[in-house]
């Protein structure tokens, strides 16, 4: 029995016999007229070894297709729905219609109430945010789902008044009142603060002041926060820790921060500095390698940072500059937009699609650590065998 227990523990540890990335997800946007059907997307996610996804609605076809799969999914209440679900009865109706029929077969783990409401052009939405969140949480509780599904809202990094150095992080004054109410909700429910963080935007706006290598996770000197003395070798972690410090300033230092969106465009307009295939490949490749080691930020080194890449596909119907339509790892036909470079590509002759195995190129240190663990477990098994024999 001891042998069985040890083997069982190893199989279900963070290492597992097939090491994977448990803190990585991807954004599955659908603002396009040429995307593959959900069943093909599910196959693609499985080939990528991804088990977390986020969608920007509650598309019933996706939720039905993802049933009985290993994909955890975050769904979204569209911004325009916030004034409606403020009403507890409407919130209950929404959850009963959009969540309950699919759960638990479909692993819905989060509900994003709106997207970037704190910085939305429609300022009237901000007043509805916390009441809508509270109503949705109440509806989940009424249906017995609140223990399984977290409620939050993704915020743009523009919600910060100061972000550099990270220790100076603070929220904009005009949102501080609602932000305090929101953080109180997160603290009381154990829900995360979701941030959409893009080093690309910071670099594009100040290419002469910001190191491209620092933004891309490439090797660089980095920076030291003069107050905390912590060293940062990439901009994303500095952004996350700036949010941590901003929350601490309002008295909520214990809330987890998760990156609900981050990515780099592979194409842009002439004035969109840095939007290239090479930079996109470097950013996502380096970020994925960091995720393979399940590391945390300098402020929270022992808390692995959960990150959702933006995005799975290029979306041809998105408005705005060219970059907005070119964040995808894949083209809608399933071919790669660029090679992230983490593994060999396997091509299907029928669909000409290519997939990337995230588990095949873990850093050498991670592989050594995994092999070392297996070796020690083998030693433990032998030791127990000797002890058991001595007892008999």
């Amino acid at each position: 029995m001891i042998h069985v227990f040890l083997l069982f523990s190893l199989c279900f540890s963070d290492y597992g016999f097939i090491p994977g990335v448990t803190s990585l997800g991807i954004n599955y946007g659908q603002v396009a007229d040429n995307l593959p059907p959900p069943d093909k997307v599910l196959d693609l996610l499985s080939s990528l070894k991804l088990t977390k996804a986020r969608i920007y609605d509650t598309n019933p076809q996706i939720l039905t297709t993802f049933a009985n799969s290993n994909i955890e999914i975050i769904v979204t209440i569209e911004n325009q729905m916030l004034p409606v679900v403020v009403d507890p009865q409407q919130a209950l109706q929404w959850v009963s219609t959009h969540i309950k029929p699919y759960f638990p077969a479909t692993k819905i783990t989060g509900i994003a109430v709106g997207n970037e409401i704190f910085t939305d052009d429609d300022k009237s939405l901000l007043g509805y945010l916390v009441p809508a969140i509270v109503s949705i949480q109440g509806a989940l509780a009424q249906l017995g789902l609140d223990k399984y599904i977290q409620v939050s809202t993704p915020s743009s990094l523009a919600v910060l008044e100061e972000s550099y150095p990270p220790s100076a992080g603070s929220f904009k004054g005009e949102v501080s009142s609602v932000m305090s109410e929101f953080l109180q909700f997160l603290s009381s429910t154990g829900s995360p603060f979701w941030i959409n963080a893009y080093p690309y935007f910071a670099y594009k706006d100040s290419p002469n002041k910001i190191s491209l290598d620092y933004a891309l996770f490439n090797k660089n000197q980095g920076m030291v926060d003069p107050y905390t003395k912590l060293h940062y070798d990439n901009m994303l972690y500095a952004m996350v820790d700036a949010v941590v410090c901003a929350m601490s300033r309002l008295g909520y230092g214990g809330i987890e921060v998760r990156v609900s969106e981050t990515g780099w465009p592979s194409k842009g307009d002439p004035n969109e500095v840095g939007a290239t295939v090479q930079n996109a490949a470097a950013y996502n490749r380096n970020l994925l390698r960091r995720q393979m080691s399940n590391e945390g930020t300098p402020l929270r080194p022992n808390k692995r940072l959960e990150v959702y890449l933006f995005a799975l596909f290029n979306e041809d119907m998105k408005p705005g500059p060219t970059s907005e339509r070119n964040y995808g790892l894949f083209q809608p036909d399933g071919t790669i937009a660029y090679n992230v470079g983490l593994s060999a590509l396997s091509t299907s002759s029928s669909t000409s699609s290519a997939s990337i195995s995230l588990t095949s190129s873990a850093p050498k240190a991670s592989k050594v650590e995994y092999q070392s663990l297996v070796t020690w477990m083998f030693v433990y098994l032998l030791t127990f065998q000797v002890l058991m024999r001595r007892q008999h």
Side-chain angles (χ1 to χ4, degrees):
M1 288 299 293
I2 293 176
H3 302 168
V4 173
F5 173 75
L6 288 173
L7 289 173
F8 184 88
S9 298
L10 179 58
C11 287
F12 288 90
S13 70
D14 284 342
Y15 293 89
F17 284 116
I18 303 177
V21 184
T22 58
S23 55
L24 178 69
I26 199 157
N27 286 274
Y28 171 16
Q30 305 152 57
V31 189
D33 59 6
N34 51 5
L35 294 180
D39 61 324
K40 299 297 183 184
V41 175
L42 181 58
D43 290 341
L44 179 58
L45 293 176
S46 298
S47 72
L48 294 172
K49 309 296 188 214
L50 288 171
T51 59
K52 298 177 187 288
R54 175 188 170 210
I55 60 176
Y56 292 84
D57 52 19
T58 52
N59 186 316
Q61 190 179 3
I62 293 175
L63 295 181
T64 300
T65 301
F66 280 35
N68 303 311
S69 72
N70 68 335
I71 305 296
E72 297 179 4
I73 190 165
I74 295 172
V75 301
T76 304
I77 299 177
E78 296 90 335
N79 289 9
Q80 64 269 21
M81 282 295 295
L82 264 64
V84 176
V85 297
V86 163
D87 179 354
Q89 288 304 313
Q90 291 291 338
L92 180 61
Q93 177 65 33
W94 188 92
V95 173
S96 298
T97 303
H98 294 85
I99 302 297
K100 189 179 179 182
Y102 307 100
F103 186 90
T106 301
K107 297 179 181 178
I108 301 171
T109 59
I111 298 175
V113 180
N115 187 49
E116 300 190 349
I117 297 297
F118 281 103
T119 52
D120 195 273
D121 290 337
D122 184 354
K123 303 302 181 184
S124 67
L125 289 176
L126 186 56
Y128 296 111
L129 180 60
V130 175
I133 287 174
V134 171
S135 291
I136 292 295
Q137 177 72 18
L140 288 172
Q142 194 169 336
L143 296 173
L145 303 178
D146 57 314
K147 295 180 177 63
Y148 311 101
I149 301 173
Q150 294 179 317
V151 182
S152 188
T153 189
S155 295
S156 161
L157 198 77
V159 76
L160 295 182
E161 182 70 42
E162 296 288 343
S163 61
Y164 182 87
S167 60
S170 60
F171 293 112
K172 289 184 174 178
E174 59 265 32
V175 303
S176 60
S177 177
V178 176
M179 182 61 72
S180 292
E181 295 176 13
F182 173 55
L183 295 178
Q184 171 59 42
F185 170 84
L186 296 183
S187 178
S188 64
T189 59
S191 299
F193 188 104
W194 287 329
I195 188 73
N196 296 339
Y198 290 88
Y200 161 71
F201 290 130
Y203 175 75
K204 178 181 72 73
D205 292 341
S206 302
N208 296 323
K209 295 181 180 180
I210 295 174
S211 162
L212 180 60
D213 287 332
Y214 181 64
L216 292 177
F217 287 90
N218 285 335
K219 186 176 181 180
N220 67 96
Q221 291 184 345
M223 59 84 66
V224 175
D225 189 305
Y227 300 100
T228 63
K229 307 304 180 185
L230 293 173
H231 178 260
Y232 291 85
D233 64 359
N234 71 84
M235 182 177 289
L236 180 66
Y237 288 4
M239 289 175 165
V240 170
D241 280 354
V243 173
V244 173
C245 290
M247 292 193 300
S248 296
R249 276 190 163 74
L250 293 181
Y252 298 95
I255 296 172
E256 179 184 0
V257 177
R258 297 179 186 172
V259 179
S260 41
E261 287 182 19
T262 192
W264 198 287
S266 59
K267 186 179 180 181
D269 294 322
N271 65 337
E272 293 188 288
V273 181
T276 68
V277 168
Q278 293 79 10
N279 288 342
Y283 183 82
N284 285 316
R285 178 177 64 244
N286 291 333
L287 176 58
L288 292 174
R289 284 176 174 164
R290 294 297 186 103
Q291 289 300 106
M292 292 298 294
S293 63
N294 288 323
E295 68 184 21
T297 66
L299 261 183
R300 294 176 171 176
N302 298 320
K303 177 67 176 178
R304 66 187 179 193
L305 179 65
E306 185 165 300
V307 174
Y308 282 70
L309 282 179
F310 188 88
L312 187 57
F313 296 110
N314 284 335
E315 299 172 74
D316 66 336
M317 294 179 66
K318 291 196 73 174
T322 297
S323 62
E324 286 296 312
R325 294 175 288 282
N326 289 277
Y327 275 91
L329 297 180
F330 289 85
Q331 303 288 2
D333 65 0
T335 57
I336 59 170
Y338 52 86
N339 188 353
V340 178
L342 289 181
S343 75
L345 299 173
S346 59
T347 304
S348 166
S349 58
S350 60
T351 62
S352 297
S353 65
S355 63
I356 304 168
S357 173
L358 302 181
T359 62
S360 64
S361 59
K364 291 181 180 178
S366 296
K367 289 185 176 180
V368 171
E369 186 178 18
Y370 170 68
Q371 292 169 353
S372 175
L373 178 67
V374 173
T375 301
W376 276 110
M377 292 303 296
F378 180 70
V379 171
Y380 287 143
L381 288 176
L382 290 178
T383 302
F384 273 111
Q385 283 182 340
V386 172
L387 290 175
M388 294 295 288
R389 287 174 181 172
R390 286 183 177 178
Q391 289 177 6
H392 293 288

